[in-house]
Amino acid sequence: MPAFAESGGGGGAEPPLAESYLDLLRRGGGIAAGEGRAAAAVQERELPLIDIGCLLAGGGGDEARRAACADAMARAASEWGFFQVTNHGVGGALLERLRAEQARLFRLPFETKARAGLLNGSYRWGAPTATSLRHLSWSEAFHVPLASISGSACDFGELGSLRGVNRVMQEVADAMSRVAKAVAVALAGSLLMQGGPHHAAAAAAAAAAAFPAGCDETTCFLRLNRYPACPFAADTFGLVPHTDSDFLTVLWQDQVGGLQLMKDARWVAVKPHPDALIVNIGDLFQAWSNNRYKSVEHKVVANAKAERFSAAYFLCPSYDAPVGTCGEPSPYRTFTFGEYRRKVQEDVKRTGRKIGLPNFLKQQPQ
C-alpha cells in the first residue's frame, strides 16, 4: 500500500503510518539498525546561542553590538549551518497558543485532514514516493503557503471553530518573518562587508537590506509538524535526512527533542532550549554565499513513547526570482527558485532522494 493510500478509517486521528511501514517492510529496503533513532553513540550538543535583540526594532543595540551579533551568526552559519537565537520577539504565550491549536488541528479525524481541504489542502503525511523505509517519515504536517492564510483566503467550511488556527498561524508567521528577515540581512551584510573596496559599508548595508530578492509575506511557508509516538522507532525516521530548499528556516520545537544534524561527518543531537528558536541555513543561502554558509543535512528521529510538535517558517522567494550571488566568481550557474524546486521534485520522483545544489554547479562533478 503506498504511503498516501486512502486508509486510516474508523474516524481515528492517526494517519495510516503503521500500514505504510509494514508494506514497505514487506517490500524490503529497510534502514540500518539504529539509524532512525537516537543511538547511544550520538552526542547531544547545544547549538551556538546568540542574542539577537539588538537586531530587532526597539532592540536598542549600537552598531558595535549589531556587528558582533552578525559576526557570531556568520561563524555559526559557516561552522554549523545551525544556531539558536534568544530575545527574538516571538512570545512564549503565542507559541503556547500555537501548540494548543496545532494539537487541536492534528486531533481531527484523519479523513477530515486528508480530504476536507483544510488550510487549502496543505496536509501531508508519510512520504508520497516512498519505496523503502529510508524514505518514510513517521510524521504528519500542514505545509501552508502564507499567501493562503492572509485575510479570509483560508476556508474551513463547517469547521469554523478552527479559525483560531488561522489567526495564530498569521501571528506566528508575522513574528517569525521579522526574525528571519533580520537574521538574513545581518548574515548577508557580513559577507558583503568582506567584498572589498567596491562594497563600501553604505553600499553593503543597502544591498543587505534588500536581501533576499523576491521574498515577501506571500512567498514564504509555515509548516506545522506532528511526530506521533512510533512503535518502530529503532528503524524509522521521524523526518528523513534532508537539507532545506529555502534561504533560511526559523524553527520552534517543543522540549521532547529529536532533531539531529550532521557535524564533522557525524550525527549530533540538538539539545532543546526552552527560550530559543533554531535558525538553519537553506540551500539557496549556501548558493548565494558561494558555499561560505552551509546548508547542513538534518533529520528528526522517531520517539517510541512521546509525540513531538514543531513549527517551521521557511524564508523563500517567488518562483521566478533568481537566487543570485554575493559576488563573483560563483561556483553555481544562474537559477531561479522555481527551477530549483522543480529539479528537486523530479529527482525525488526519479530516485527517491533529493540531489539539490550539485545539479546547479557550473562544473558538474565527474
Side-chain angles (χ1 to χ4, degrees):
M1 180 180 64
F4 273 70
E6 296 181 351
S7 182
E14 296 295 341
L17 292 163
E19 290 93 325
S20 295
Y21 170 88
L22 294 172
D23 178 65
L24 292 170
L25 187 65
R26 283 191 294 269
R27 289 197 240 164
I31 65 178
E35 186 181 354
R37 118 187 119 191
V42 174
Q43 183 182 11
E44 186 177 59
R45 300 276 297 275
E46 281 210 32
L47 295 175
L49 188 65
I50 302 169
D51 183 333
I52 63 167
C54 62
L55 300 180
L56 301 171
D62 58 24
E63 192 61 37
R65 285 183 61 200
R66 288 193 289 269
C69 178
D71 287 347
M73 291 192 299
R75 285 194 302 273
S78 298
E79 296 171 9
W80 286 80
F82 274 74
F83 50 91
Q84 299 177 105
V85 295
T86 58
N87 285 328
H88 43 69
V90 187
L94 175 59
L95 293 173
E96 282 299 316
R97 284 170 55 208
L98 176 66
R99 191 191 187 288
E101 292 292 350
Q102 273 186 261
R104 200 156 65 92
L105 183 62
F106 283 114
R107 298 281 187 271
L108 291 172
F110 170 72
E111 299 294 348
T112 300
K113 292 181 287 190
R115 295 181 178 176
L118 293 179
L119 299 180
N120 296 79
S122 63
Y123 181 66
R124 308 286 186 269
W125 67 275
T129 58
T131 57
S132 81
L133 292 178
R134 288 182 177 274
H135 306 143
L136 177 65
S137 294
W138 195 275
S139 56
E140 58 179 339
F142 287 89
H143 190 78
V144 187
L146 293 188
S148 73
I149 63 172
S150 59
S152 58
C154 211
D155 183 12
F156 288 99
E158 297 178 0
L159 299 170
S161 62
L162 289 174
R163 295 191 189 282
V165 177
N166 204 53
R167 287 193 295 270
V168 172
M169 283 197 306
Q170 187 67 68
E171 289 183 51
V172 170
D174 290 345
M176 286 189 170
S177 175
R178 289 190 289 272
V179 174
K181 181 65 175 176
V183 170
V185 166
L187 286 171
S190 183
L191 287 183
L192 293 174
M193 291 290 284
Q194 302 169 22
H198 61 289
H199 274 305
F211 175 84
C215 285
D216 62 31
E217 292 75 13
T218 66
T219 60
C220 301
F221 294 81
L222 188 69
R223 185 178 178 95
L224 308 180
N225 300 304
R226 174 179 174 261
Y227 301 88
C230 176
F232 316 109
D235 54 359
T236 307
F237 294 114
L239 188 62
V240 297
H242 67 286
T243 60
D244 289 350
S245 300
D246 62 352
F247 272 106
L248 200 73
T249 304
V250 179
L251 174 73
W252 165 81
Q253 62 171 343
D254 62 21
Q255 298 305 296
V256 172
L259 176 64
Q260 295 187 3
L261 61 91
M262 187 64 71
K263 179 77 166 70
D264 300 326
R266 299 186 65 179
W267 288 110
V268 172
V270 176
K271 184 177 181 179
H273 189 292
D275 300 318
L277 298 175
I278 291 174
V279 174
N280 66 276
I281 301 299
D283 297 343
L284 304 187
F285 215 155
Q286 176 170 326
W288 185 88
S289 72
N290 293 344
N291 294 334
R292 293 174 187 167
Y293 298 151
K294 308 301 182 187
S295 181
V296 172
E297 190 176 38
H298 52 285
K299 65 181 179 179
V300 176
V301 298
N303 190 304
K305 297 179 180 179
E307 68 177 348
R308 174 181 182 265
F309 290 94
S310 70
Y313 178 92
F314 298 98
L315 182 64
C316 301
S318 60
Y319 280 16
D320 60 353
V323 172
T325 176
C326 67
E328 295 291 351
S330 170
Y332 299 101
R333 67 174 177 82
T334 302
F335 62 93
T336 65
F337 180 45
E339 184 182 359
Y340 192 80
R341 279 181 59 95
R342 287 191 296 273
K343 186 60 178 171
V344 167
Q345 292 164 355
E346 290 170 6
D347 288 340
V348 169
K349 185 175 181 179
R350 180 173 55 86
T351 69
R353 67 183 185 89
K354 170 184 172 180
I355 296 173
L357 284 176
N359 282 322
F360 296 90
L361 289 168
K362 288 178 179 175
Q363 294 185 331
Q364 292 294 314
Q366 299 298 317

